[in-house]
Amino acid sequence: MDIQITANIRNELLLRNEVEFTLTFDGATPSRKEIIGKLGALLDANEEKMALDSIKTHYGSRVGKGLARIYDTPEARARTEREYLVARGQPKAEAEE
């Protein structure tokens, strides 16, 4: 999996960087957790401060375009990010019996 940053725009009002990237991969589309981990390592950012918005791939293609947001603090992410986007890619809690 290879990630190239195509745009990195600073949004001071919401205390975040808005990152557009191109993803090249072999096989199946990587999971959101893998993409966040690789993007965090590439940009030296903590996963608690990141939110992966979208990944778009064309049928049969090994290239995708994505959008992620990297916040200054986890509190800033919690304040502005939609809960379902934060919950995506997280391990599911085991059902209590």
Side-chain angles (χ1 to χ4, degrees), residues 1-96:
M1 175 173 59
D2 184 40
I3 296 178
Q4 286 189 322
I5 306 299
T6 55
N8 190 349
I9 301 168
R10 178 71 183 161
N11 186 334
E12 283 295 329
L13 183 63
L14 296 176
L15 302 173
R16 68 184 184 195
N17 286 345
E18 298 166 354
V19 179
E20 294 177 15
F21 59 92
T22 303
L23 175 70
T24 308
F25 54 91
D26 293 325
T29 305
S31 69
R32 298 176 75 85
K33 183 107 175 130
E34 292 173 338
I35 294 171
I36 287 175
K38 179 86 172 189
L39 197 59
L42 185 65
L43 295 173
D44 194 30
N46 189 351
E47 293 180 14
E48 294 177 351
K49 299 177 187 178
M50 297 177 67
L52 183 60
D53 190 3
S54 64
I55 307 162
K56 308 251 186 221
T57 58
H58 292 288
Y59 180 77
S61 175
R62 302 281 184 232
V63 177
K65 295 184 185 253
L67 175 65
R69 292 183 284 274
I70 303 171
Y71 290 87
D72 292 346
T73 63
E75 293 80 23
R77 181 184 83 164
R79 203 172 40 244
T80 58
E81 209 53 56
R82 296 173 297 236
E83 288 185 31
Y84 74 91
L85 281 178
V86 174
R88 282 185 185 171
Q90 301 297 322
K92 297 186 183 216
E94 294 183 22
E96 295 182 28

